[in-house]
Structures are given as structure tokens and as C-alpha cells.
Amino acid sequence: MAHPEDPEPAQRVPAGPLFVPVRPGPAGCAARFFRTPLGTRTAVGFTSRERLAATLGAEQQWIRLSEPALRALAGPLGVTALTVDPPFSAPPARALPAPAEAAVHQLIG
């Protein structure tokens, strides 16, 4: 419930459809879900393609969904949080050489 003295409404409602990141799956595409810094699973949507690309990369596939449609998709999976335009993401993981491989390179090199 919003109070008159609150500077913003208690819950923000984005205007228009969101750009929702997806990944390919056996039956088409599937929405990607993420975790908040505290570990809670969250659905994610962006208000523009540019914001999605800035956060997840230009190669990230997406679909357009309204907020209610995204919540309806995520709800049965136990995902109740929705994050719109998250400002940061972790950098992509780098592959590290296996410990045995690194030891062999040190011995040979």
C-alpha cells in the first residue's frame, strides 16, 4: 500500500512489453531466470533492446512479453520476483585449464 508521503509507488509497473531474455530449448525458447545478489530467483525484463544488450550482450536472444505474462510464466516455477532493467551482471565465466593440464604445461614449458 502506498502512502501519500512516499516519493515513489510501492510497486513499479513498467509501461509496455518487456524484452525478456530467452535460451533455446527442445520445444522452442525458454525464459531465462536469474538470481538476485541475495540468491532469490527472479524473472528479468528490460524496457529496451539496448538495455538488454548492455547487460547481457548483443547476442542474447529475447522475446517480448508484458509484465503480467512474464509473471504468469514464472509463477508456476516458483519465481515470484521480477527485476526490470537490472543495472549490473557478472562477467561471463572464463574457462580455466584443468589442474593436471596446468601442471603438465609447467613441467614441459
Side-chain angles (χ1 to χ4, degrees):
M1 179 174 162
H3 297 283
E5 65 273 2
D6 286 345
E8 295 183 354
Q11 194 173 40
R12 292 182 146 176
V13 179
L18 297 169
F19 292 85
V20 178
V22 296
R23 60 179 170 73
C29 64
R32 290 183 63 192
F33 297 106
F34 297 86
R35 293 202 179 267
T36 67
L38 297 177
T40 304
R41 289 180 71 203
T42 183
V44 172
F46 295 86
T47 55
S48 72
R49 283 186 287 185
E50 293 78 19
R51 288 182 180 198
L52 181 140
T55 302
L56 299 175
E59 298 80 28
Q60 175 62 57
Q61 296 177 9
W62 52 268
I63 60 172
R64 298 287 305 261
L65 290 175
S66 67
E67 179 190 359
L70 181 53
R71 287 186 185 279
L73 180 73
L77 301 172
V79 180
T80 57
L82 172 62
T83 303
V84 177
D85 290 329
F88 305 109
S89 71
R94 294 183 313 140
L96 298 175
E101 237 180 75
V104 169
H105 288 296
Q106 288 176 354
L107 292 174
I108 295 173

